[in-house]
Amino acid sequence: MTGSSLEVLQHLSGNLRAARVAQGLSQQALADASGVSRRMLVNLEGGDANVSFATLDRLARVLGVTFAELIRPATGEAAPVLAWRGTKDGSHASLLQSHRMATGAFELWEWRLAAGERYDATVDPKGFHEMLYIADGTLTLKVGRKRVDLTAGRSHLFATDTGYSYWNEGDVPCVFLKNVIAFEV
């Protein structure tokens, strides 16, 4: 979660530890089941490490919780949570809402990319999709080798089980909403 705020890492620290303990898993057992090193888990539970969204997704799946449950304040507060900051001022992503059901999970995000900002996502498991709505500016979406230019007022749905990235190649900020739809397959 490069560029993440200290606050998110503190929430993650306590929530990860609580979810692991609730499942009766040692750090080593969680490491073995998720493919995340024990050293990384120690650092995450200590609030001392940045982590990718993909790693958090793997941990959440093993623990039977959602990504959102790992980064929200322990109070379960539904207020937006700043989950990513870009390299340019004004670039960030906030998780607005999430909902988990027996067959999957849904998340609503607001993204803001400053002019020239780029975000490279990691591949999600089969069954994950994103639905984007561009509120302002222009977003270049690259999914695999396919490029889609989206302007304000347009939307797009795509599977995220292949590499993808968001680019703001324009001169003005881009604001978009993103629904993550994750169905268990």
Side-chain angles (χ1 to χ4, degrees), residues 99-112:
H99 179 68
R100 185 173 67 160
M101 299 171 24
T103 58
F106 303 89
E107 297 171 353
L108 176 62
W109 292 79
E110 178 190 58
W111 279 73
R112 295 178 179 268

Side-chain angles (χ1 to χ4, degrees), residues 118 140-144 146-148 163-167 169:
R118 173 181 172 159
T140 299
L141 171 66
K142 293 190 178 176
V143 181
K146 183 180 178 184
R147 174 187 170 121
V148 180
Y164 65 100
S165 57
Y166 308 132
W167 292 20
E169 297 177 316

Side-chain angles (χ1 to χ4, degrees), residues 11-56:
H11 298 319
L12 171 63
S13 171
N15 294 341
L16 178 61
R17 185 179 312 105
R20 179 181 58 75
V21 169
Q23 291 293 320
L25 296 172
S26 67
Q27 287 177 332
Q28 188 61 56
L30 179 56
D32 292 344
S34 66
V36 175
S37 74
R38 183 178 175 282
R39 181 181 196 131
M40 171 65 89
L41 290 174
V42 168
N43 288 336
L44 289 173
E45 287 188 6
D48 296 331
N50 278 330
V51 62
S52 70
F53 287 161
T55 298
L56 287 182

Side-chain angles (χ1 to χ4, degrees), residues 84 86 88 90-94 110-114 117 173-176:
W84 174 82
K88 300 184 183 304
S91 292
H92 62 270
S94 295
E110 178 190 58
W111 279 73
R112 295 178 179 268
L113 296 179
E117 185 73 71
C174 175
V175 178
F176 63 99

Side-chain angles (χ1 to χ4, degrees), residues 96 112 133:
L96 303 176
R112 295 178 179 268
Y133 173 77

